Amino acid sequence: MSAVAVPELKQISREEAMRLGPGWSHSCHAMLYAANPGQLFGRIPMRFSVLMRFDGLLGFPGGFVDRRLWSLEDGLNWVLGLGLGGLRLTKADYLSSHLTEGPHRVVAHLYARQLTLEQLHAVEISAVHSRDHGLEVLGLVRVPLYTQKDRVGGFPNFLSNAFVSTAKYQLLFALKALNMMPAEKLAEAVAAATEKQKKALEKLLPASS
C-alpha cells in the first residue's frame, strides 16, 4: 500500500498502545461488514458490504476516547451509541493500532465485526434514528468493493473521495488483513484512484493559473 495517496503508518500492538504516555490521544473506530452474495447488473460480484460514515469526509463510525475515563471498548461503544444506536463491540473485535503522522500524537485503533447482511441493514436503519444523525453524522454509505470494466467505476472511484485522517489507510489495511480483497486488486484500485485525482488536478491547474 505504498501509493503516494496512502502513506504507510506504523503499526503497534494493543499492549504497546496502552503503554503510551499521557501525551498521546486515542481514537477508536469500527468497521462493520457483511458478506454480500449479490451481483451488480447481474454480473459483477458485490463480495462484501462495508459501512462507512459521512460527515463531510468519509470515515468509520467512532471517535476519540478519553483514556482517563474509559477503556477503549467502553469509549468506542459510547461514541457508537450516539451515531449507530445499540451496537456494542468487545475486545474480541479489535483489529489494529497505528500511529498517525502530523503535529498531533494520535494512536488510531480499528475494530472490525462481521455481521449478516440483514444485521448490517438493521444498523443502517438504526443509524437514521440515532442522536447524531443529520447533525455531526450525515449518513452511512456502503463501500463498493468491485471495479467495473472501465477500471475506474466502483472501488477506485470511491477511493478518489476525501477521507478523514487515517480512514483510507485503515480501510485498505482491513480489506487486506481480513482477506476481503486480494492485495493486487487493492493496489490496482489505489493506482487507478491516484491517476484519476492526478488528471482532475491537471484540468484545474490551467484555470487557476
Side-chain angles (χ1 to χ4, degrees):
M1 292 177 210
S2 56
V4 174
V6 191
E8 289 282 347
L9 299 177
K10 180 181 179 182
Q11 185 177 5
I12 62 173
S13 68
R14 177 192 171 92
E15 291 70 25
E16 289 172 320
M18 294 298 94
R19 292 197 295 267
L20 293 174
W24 286 86
S25 298
H26 295 257
S27 69
C28 294
H29 293 84
M31 188 180 94
L32 306 176
Y33 66 101
N36 187 338
Q39 291 187 327
L40 179 67
F41 308 134
R43 56 182 174 79
I44 302 176
M46 301 291 289
R47 302 208 294 259
F48 291 92
S49 290
V50 176
L51 293 185
M52 297 191 80
R53 76 171 194 175
F54 181 73
D55 60 5
L57 297 171
L58 288 166
F60 289 110
F64 282 96
V65 171
D66 189 338
R67 288 281 295 127
R68 297 170 300 177
L69 303 175
W70 307 91
S71 69
L72 293 180
E73 291 75 31
D74 286 343
L76 172 62
N77 286 322
W78 183 80
V79 178
L80 292 180
L82 302 179
L84 294 184
L87 183 73
R88 293 188 62 83
L89 300 188
T90 69
K91 189 175 179 179
D93 299 307
Y94 169 82
L95 182 63
S96 64
S97 299
H98 290 90
L99 301 181
T100 65
E101 299 178 342
H104 303 293
R105 306 174 78 188
V106 179
V107 54
H109 306 280
L110 183 65
Y111 291 72
R113 177 180 290 183
Q114 182 169 3
L115 307 173
T116 66
L117 200 56
E118 292 75 17
Q119 289 172 327
L120 197 78
H121 184 54
V123 170
E124 293 173 314
I125 295 174
S126 177
V128 175
H129 302 286
S130 67
R131 193 193 79 173
D132 282 354
H133 180 76
L135 299 171
E136 181 183 0
V137 180
L138 301 179
L140 296 176
V141 297
R142 293 191 184 190
V143 182
L145 296 183
Y146 55 82
T147 301
Q148 297 184 28
K149 283 186 177 181
D150 63 1
R151 300 183 181 275
V152 177
F155 193 45
N157 267 342
F158 185 83
L159 293 178
S160 299
N161 288 295
F163 291 75
V164 62
S165 186
T166 60
K168 181 185 287 189
Y169 180 87
Q170 288 178 313
L171 172 62
L172 297 172
F173 175 89
L175 293 177
K176 181 178 179 181
L178 297 172
N179 296 314
M180 295 171 66
M181 185 179 290
E184 62 273 14
K185 294 295 183 182
L186 286 172
E188 289 173 4
V190 171
T194 303
E195 182 63 20
K196 179 184 176 181
Q197 291 171 325
K198 179 182 176 182
K199 289 181 178 179
L201 183 60
E202 289 172 348
K203 290 181 179 180
L204 290 174
L205 286 177
S208 61
S209 59

